[in-house]
Amino acid sequence: MVRTPPPDGRDLTATRDDRLDVPELPTLDPGITLLDTEKRATGPLQALVLDHLLLAGGDALWVDSHGHAQSGLLARLAPCRRVLDRVHVARGFTPTQHATLVERLPDRVAPETSLVVLPAMDGQYRGDELPTEDARELFLRSLATVARVARERDLPVLVTRHRDDGFAAPLSSAADATLACERTEFGPRFRSDEFETLVYPGGPDGTAQTTLAYWTRILRARNPLHGATAETDAKRRGPTASAADAGGR
Amino acid sequence: MFALDFRDGGVDVWSRTADGVEVARDEEYAPALYLAADDWASIAANRAHVEGHPGVVSTAREEWRPGFREEPTDVLRIDASDVDAVRPLARELRGWERTGTYRLFDVDLSPGFRYCLETGTDPAPESPLRTLSVEVPPAELAGDEPRITECTVGPGDADGASAAATDAVAEAETVTGDPATVAAAVGERVAAADPDVLVLDTARIVPALFEAAREAGVDFRLGRRPGYRKRAGASTYESYGQVGHSPARYGVPGRAVIDRENTFFYRETNLAGCLDLVGRSGKPLQELAWASIGNVLTAIQVREAKARGVLVPWRSWRAEFFKSMRQLSAADRGGYTLSPRVGLHEDVHELDFSSLYPNVIVTRNVSPETVRCDCHADRADVPGLGYAVCDDRGYLPDVLGELVAARDGIKRALRETDDPERRATLSGRSSALKWILVACFGYQGFSNAKFGRIECHEAINAFAREVLLDAKETLEDGGWEVVHGIVDSVWVTPRAGAERRPLDDLARAITEDAGVRLECEAAYDWVAFVPQRESNAGALTKYFGKRANGDGTEAAGDAEGGAKAGDGAGGGGNAFKYRGIECRQRSTPEWVAGVQRDLIAALDEYREPEPVCGVLAQFLQRLDAGRVDPAALAVTNRVSKEPGEYARYTRSTAALDRADDAGIDVEPGQSVDYVVVDDEKDTRERVALAAEDPESYDAGYYRERTLRAAESVLSPVEWDRERIAAYLADREDAAVTAYG
């Protein structure tokens, strides 16, 4: 399900020793991908979204929760400002608001939509605003809607969990793929069932990997891959543009 | 009308007339909630089911708008058997409430407000109310089953005497004895005074008195009829920011109860302020006194909504629209702030926009249904955000416009009268409106606000920013330098060598431009902006200064601010203004605050750090010599947790332990005053309660606090802690040499 853009990036050691200039990031395929991180996933999440938009073109619909859509961070991460116009965000601050936004998704998805993002998708339904059973049911309805959008529109949907527990279990069951992002001494590593990649050597200090500067650097370094779409940014890709089309250029 | 009792499925409506008190019984009243769906057919299919519910009296098909942005549609009006049936009924119907299908409306309205709203009853009393207060010393109410042995019954509106009320008794009277005797005596006095409003220190008095009387088998009343009513707070009360777990509320028949422990508006304003809002919000006095700002603002909006044929949503299903990250980025910038330029500036003028946010809402037509309207989708009216704002007049500007105008009128009247009673009335009303206006902006961004909308919040912010930035530009072009700007005020000083237009001229021009009045708020001989600790950047709200000659009383702030701890209180009269520094902080010991004010006076006199440090040294000498009265060193600490919940053994914990030893019950939210006697200890010997009259203190601890206060004064003139310490050390050396 996940491919790495540079074909020779399989051997991690080789990647570092050969000083490969273009760092790897996993590609998002149609279906629900659960991004699983040790902590709050703002850095890798935003990097994956931007990378996808720059590679695949199109727009992202982002239903936010718990302040993941930090526009300031995203603006600093983005290699070009224009890509910010292609991320459309609406925030749910209550379970009912979140459910309303998800309910609207099928109507909001347009031909140019190439990605749907729902950080902490379970988060709003955990509060005490609604009785637990009502909240759980609302969460499941939302999840079903999201799965339907992914399936019927053949769209990549990127989600994260607010917490990894029983309440969020339906989320991992519904996910077509789980992408773990963990910190290693060599840099963040993305791992799924059939794939593993080290993004980029994080330098001697492992802590740097989670910083904004790190992800900014990664995205800059991937610029050669983005070049094609970055240039056509202004023209806005046509409705028929597909991920494969843009990525292969 | 001034009070309502809901009992036996009907409502007793109490009114005061010139001749006395009247009560009318309303047996017919049936509170209404509403059910809406995408189409009438799905409601019709379930109508019989709803009608079969035991809590339902009848149903009707009516036309209402489910939201400000929606067209009128057929909905089901459901009349419940009584106010207490509304919630259980709603909870049962909630099973149906799903996004896009069934929605419930008019569910969570407080009973009195609902009654007035639905029956068109004006909750404002027709004649002045008789008020009475009942006070009990806090110690009497300790524990779960308090036994009251002392109680004072007195005039009810001592702090806000006004035409709206008369005291039911002339003088306070204290009764003591065993709980049954006290209850009987209180009952007699209340009956004799026969007040309409009972002002209680805490409503916990009510069950305690009734219980004492019951145990003794004494007939006892606080109301105009037997008994009392307890209403669990959390089920009926929604506060601003949070649907809260508020304490239980107690009511007695035929009187409005004001619980001093649970009232915002009675505490921050007075009875006249409360009654003003009773009229505007449609909430009866007892509910109004209980209500939070957001709750009152919501009530005002609910009345407007219903008047416009709009129902009140139960849950906030309404979510924001999608916007681009770039728009979100612009929206996230928040209010305008220009970091103050650290340092001491001569000849500073402060200019404030009058009620900036409400006025932006009114003049820019910002309202939940106007921002990002469908009809002008292609227009970019909001600066930086590109949102459209509809040309059709919004409801929020109408609501707030009325409040702004009313407050302006009250302030005008206030300027024209010297009569203390009238002033108290007007001040209370002005202050009550001020709180509503202050909160209206934040409330728009609050996710659970009934009619709030985050896009409104963003638009208001964006317009306000623009107003401030434009003003800054005009002032700079006019030859002034802006040294500080925050949200709605700018601080300027003459730009050296520039040709200047008078500030009044510029303010007039800016006012005309912005559509919001810019007023010259105050003039200062000098103002010092204090840097943040550990940084050179200016702290936004830490400054002090000296008012310019003849600019003392007038600039003392809002007319209604008089009752609050004012600017410069206690140090050089009104000449100095202090903000955010130690002497304004509640936790600062009185003596340290006094030293800080004296240092500021010294800075004013010498404008040099050295002599100020000299003054400081003298104070420290007195402190070290143990010559400061320990009573003046008491630290006031508000308790935030139960004693066992503190992670470390702090001074507060020590103080709480001592209080406990002394049998004083300190609840979270209350304060405890203590003097630090030995800061090295980690036992309860570390402090002494102020009440224990300690004879000594830990000079080292207070020296540290005094140095901190001194640093705030001297850091604007670039003397930091080290510099001060070095100066003091030199001086002490010199002293040793001199005496040696």
Side-chain angles (χ1 to χ4, degrees):
Chain A
M1 65 116 244
V2 183
R3 295 177 307 267
T4 46
D8 57 342
R10 263 164 296 150
D11 185 332
L12 305 181
T13 321
T15 307
R16 282 192 296 134
D17 289 350
D18 297 351
R19 303 226 169 269
L20 188 72
D21 282 325
V22 181
E24 296 176 69
L25 284 177
T27 311
L28 301 172
D29 286 348
I32 298 181
T33 299
L34 170 64
L35 175 65
D36 196 7
T37 53
E38 289 156 12
K39 285 199 294 180
R40 202 175 144 85
T42 320
L45 176 79
Q46 296 202 343
L48 284 178
V49 171
L50 288 173
D51 187 62
H52 177 89
L53 292 182
L54 293 168
L55 270 181
D59 292 5
L61 285 178
W62 181 313
V63 176
D64 199 56
S65 179
H66 292 77
H68 282 78
Q70 293 174 40
S71 57
L73 284 185
L74 204 69
R76 279 151 68 198
L77 271 180
C80 62
R81 298 280 295 175
R82 278 195 303 272
V83 72
L84 298 180
D85 291 329
R86 287 159 45 194
V87 182
H88 307 283
V89 61
R91 297 159 294 174
F93 298 98
T94 67
T96 48
Q97 286 181 356
H98 195 271
T100 299
L101 291 174
V102 170
E103 200 77 13
R104 273 187 213 157
L105 270 179
D107 293 335
R108 281 291 313 196
V109 170
E112 64 269 22
T113 305
S114 78
L115 179 67
V116 176
V117 189
L118 298 111
M121 201 204 140
D122 53 324
Q124 289 300 337
Y125 305 92
R126 293 172 176 274
D128 53 6
E129 185 176 332
L130 294 179
T132 315
E133 271 321 299
D134 289 8
R136 187 191 305 276
E137 195 189 323
L138 206 55
F139 169 52
L140 293 176
R141 287 168 60 100
S142 291
L143 185 56
T145 306
V146 168
R148 180 158 48 86
V149 166
R151 194 174 60 242
E152 291 180 357
R153 307 298 187 91
D154 203 30
L155 268 177
V157 175
L158 184 61
V159 301
T160 68
R161 275 187 296 228
H162 186 59
R163 274 207 298 277
D164 180 7
D165 59 8
F167 188 87
L171 192 55
S172 28
S173 315
D176 300 290
T178 298
L179 187 60
C181 179
E182 54 203 19
R183 268 198 275 174
T184 74
E185 57 177 315
F186 304 115
R189 187 210 312 268
F190 285 106
R191 191 167 44 78
S192 75
D193 286 347
E194 59 224 56
F195 170 88
E196 164 167 328
T197 180
L198 188 69
V199 175
Y200 204 59
D205 177 14
T207 56
Q209 302 155 20
T210 54
T211 63
L212 178 74
Y214 173 81
W215 291 105
T216 308
R217 196 153 56 86
I218 296 300
L219 286 172
R220 295 266 143 78
R222 280 173 66 82
N223 196 31
L225 300 172
H226 299 151
T229 48
E231 275 166 25
T232 55
D233 242 14
K235 280 185 260 168
R236 177 60 67 93
R237 298 191 58 79
T240 53
S242 74
D245 183 13
R249 206 167 297 176
Chain B
M1 195 281 265
F2 65 87
L4 295 168
D5 297 324
F6 295 89
R7 69 174 176 93
D8 306 332
V11 189
D12 294 334
V13 183
W14 297 84
S15 310
R16 169 152 288 279
T17 65
D19 305 328
V21 172
E22 285 175 4
V23 58
R25 176 83 181 161
D26 182 349
E27 293 281 2
E28 302 300 308
Y29 176 62
L33 62 161
Y34 293 85
L35 182 67
D38 287 346
D39 53 82
W40 174 254
S42 28
I43 296 176
N46 288 292
R47 188 169 176 177
H49 177 70
V50 175
E51 281 175 342
H53 192 282
V56 174
V57 177
S58 61
T59 64
R61 182 175 177 168
E62 288 187 3
E63 203 171 70
W64 286 89
R65 292 156 68 196
F68 273 106
R69 287 171 170 268
E70 293 171 70
E71 293 299 312
T73 179
D74 283 336
V75 299
L76 188 69
R77 174 191 162 120
I78 304 170
D79 288 337
S81 52
D82 67 85
V83 280
D84 292 327
V86 173
R87 286 211 152 238
L89 182 57
R91 272 198 289 273
E92 267 183 61
L93 294 176
R94 177 164 54 195
W96 305 9
E97 194 187 35
R98 291 288 179 259
T99 124
T101 52
Y102 296 101
R103 302 272 172 91
L104 285 164
F105 295 85
D106 288 22
V107 173
D108 47 356
L109 308 176
S110 56
F113 172 65
R114 176 190 285 278
Y115 181 84
C116 294
L117 183 70
E118 293 177 349
T119 60
T121 305
D122 181 359
E126 299 79 359
S127 299
L129 299 178
R130 294 165 60 83
T131 65
L132 187 78
S133 75
V134 181
E135 296 170 9
V136 170
E140 295 275 300
L141 288 160
D144 290 337
E145 285 171 15
R147 294 168 55 81
I148 299 175
T149 57
E150 184 186 331
C151 195
T152 304
V153 178
D157 194 29
D159 47 347
S162 70
T166 55
D167 286 321
V169 294
E171 276 178 25
E173 199 181 339
T174 300
V175 291
T176 56
D178 63 78
T181 311
V182 169
V186 170
E188 275 168 33
R189 277 162 184 74
V190 170
D194 196 27
D196 307 314
V197 182
L198 272 179
V199 182
L200 308 178
D201 267 356
T202 160
R204 286 178 292 145
I205 294 173
V206 175
L209 289 175
F210 272 94
E211 184 56 23
R214 192 191 60 81
E215 269 177 20
V218 184
D219 185 35
F220 175 72
R221 282 186 191 191
L222 272 183
R224 288 187 161 120
R225 287 192 174 134
Y228 69 96
R229 186 178 170 113
K230 177 180 174 180
R231 195 173 270 283
S235 65
T236 49
Y237 186 68
E238 180 192 328
S239 76
Y240 175 41
Q242 206 159 45
V243 177
H245 304 281
S246 41
R249 293 194 256 186
Y250 295 94
V252 299
R255 313 195 202 280
V257 170
I258 294 177
D259 175 359
R260 283 183 187 272
E261 261 187 347
N262 292 294
T263 174
F264 176 82
F265 284 104
Y266 188 76
R267 190 177 61 233
E268 295 298 330
T269 75
N270 55 26
L271 194 62
C274 291
L275 288 170
D276 184 292
L277 292 180
V278 162
R280 291 177 202 282
S281 68
K283 288 174 92 69
L285 181 57
Q286 183 168 319
E287 284 184 5
L288 189 284
W290 249 89
S292 62
I293 306 176
N295 194 272
V296 175
L297 185 56
T298 301
I300 293 172
Q301 294 185 69
V302 164
R303 291 227 302 185
E304 183 70 20
K306 295 296 295 262
R308 293 178 179 225
V310 175
L311 294 171
V312 186
W314 185 17
R315 305 267 175 228
S316 168
W317 291 99
R318 168 183 29 79
E320 70 171 333
F321 295 172
F322 279 91
K323 69 190 78 171
S324 77
M325 271 295 175
R326 204 195 285 235
Q327 282 176 312
L328 181 60
S329 173
D332 275 352
R333 277 185 304 186
Y336 168 81
T337 50
L338 175 77
S339 286
R341 259 184 243 166
V342 169
L344 191 150
H345 306 272
E346 306 275 349
D347 192 8
V348 174
H349 300 260
E350 180 189 356
L351 298 104
D352 288 1
F353 281 102
S354 142
S355 300
L356 178 63
Y357 288 133
N359 277 312
V360 159
I361 293 170
V362 173
T363 56
R364 271 69 173 176
N365 197 32
V366 179
S367 194
E369 78 281 25
T370 58
V371 174
R372 298 189 83 178
C373 62
D374 294 331
C375 34
H376 304 92
D378 54 330
R379 251 176 26 196
D381 298 319
V382 181
L385 296 184
Y387 298 165
V389 177
C390 199
D391 294 334
D392 291 346
R393 185 76 180 158
Y395 88 90
L396 192 60
D398 276 358
V399 167
L400 294 182
E402 208 172 293
L403 296 183
V404 169
R407 181 153 186 259
D408 285 348
I410 292 168
K411 284 171 83 173
R412 249 195 321 278
L414 200 49
R415 280 194 290 272
E416 286 159 10
T417 180
D418 292 328
D419 176 48
E421 194 170 285
R422 175 124 178 91
R423 285 192 66 86
T425 302
L426 292 169
S427 299
R429 294 179 55 204
S430 171
S431 180
L433 293 182
K434 179 191 75 180
W435 285 110
I436 301 288
L437 292 173
V438 163
C440 70
F441 163 66
Y443 189 69
Q444 287 301 313
F446 165 47
S447 60
N448 267 321
K450 281 268 176 264
F451 296 104
R453 197 165 158 234
I454 191 95
E455 282 100 335
C456 274
H457 191 267
E458 294 166 352
I460 296 162
N461 236 333
F463 279 124
R465 266 182 83 83
E466 186 190 50
V467 166
L468 252 293
L469 288 169
D470 288 352
K472 176 172 183 270
E473 205 178 299
T474 308
L475 288 163
E476 283 170 351
D477 290 349
W480 297 81
E481 190 183 329
V482 177
V483 289
H484 183 26
I486 180 164
V487 184
D488 58 357
S489 60
V490 277
W491 303 63
V492 296
T493 183
R495 196 167 74 228
E499 201 174 305
R500 275 188 303 281
R501 272 175 72 188
L503 276 180
D504 284 342
D505 267 14
L506 288 167
R508 254 193 304 278
I510 291 168
T511 298
E512 201 149 300
D513 227 36
V516 182
R517 199 166 64 247
L518 181 67
E519 292 165 339
C520 294
E521 182 69 22
Y524 300 91
D525 284 347
W526 56 268
V527 171
F529 293 112
V530 181
Q532 295 164 7
R533 273 180 214 284
E534 318 297 333
S535 153
N536 292 324
L540 286 184
T541 50
K542 271 189 173 184
Y543 58 84
F544 53 91
K546 187 188 188 193
R547 294 197 171 84
N549 282 343
D551 197 35
T553 46
E554 212 177 329
D558 276 348
E560 72 273 6
K564 303 278 165 273
D567 302 338
N574 237 345
F576 293 98
K577 174 162 177 159
Y578 318 106
R579 273 294 139 85
I581 58 173
E582 285 75 5
C583 68
R584 282 292 298 259
Q585 294 160 10
R586 240 166 70 97
S587 61
T588 303
E590 187 193 313
W591 185 80
V592 177
V595 170
Q596 189 175 49
R597 286 190 293 261
D598 283 347
L599 296 181
I600 289 171
L603 184 64
D604 175 52
E605 195 175 337
Y606 304 108
R607 303 289 164 91
E608 292 285 339
E610 286 87 353
V612 177
C613 260
V615 174
L616 171 66
Q618 288 169 17
F619 279 117
L620 290 176
Q621 220 171 15
R622 263 174 59 195
L623 183 71
D624 289 339
R627 291 191 352 244
V628 178
D629 177 8
L633 293 172
V635 177
T636 299
N637 196 356
R638 188 188 276 274
V639 178
S640 58
K641 304 171 187 167
E642 297 286 350
E645 291 171 1
Y646 284 90
R648 287 177 305 135
Y649 201 79
T650 60
R651 295 179 201 102
S652 312
T653 340
L656 285 179
D657 280 347
R658 291 193 85 89
D660 200 37
D661 291 350
I664 304 167
D665 189 21
V666 188
E667 299 281 332
Q670 292 179 333
S671 296
V672 56
D673 291 0
Y674 61 83
V675 176
V676 178
V677 290
D678 187 349
D679 207 35
E680 298 291 303
K681 290 216 169 81
D682 56 1
T683 62
R684 62 192 67 189
E685 312 306 319
R686 187 172 183 179
V687 303
L689 298 181
E692 294 175 306
D693 282 331
E695 285 173 2
S696 64
Y697 52 82
D698 185 331
Y701 170 79
Y702 288 103
R703 182 185 175 90
E704 171 61 29
R705 292 201 66 148
T706 310
L707 284 173
R708 247 180 115 82
E711 194 185 4
S712 291
V713 177
L714 289 170
S715 54
V717 287
E718 291 174 18
W719 270 45
D720 62 7
R721 193 59 177 268
E722 273 113 75
R723 207 77 198 265
I724 297 170
Y727 177 91
L728 291 173
D730 278 358
R731 208 181 131 99
E732 275 159 28
D733 281 353
V736 170
T737 317
Y739 289 110

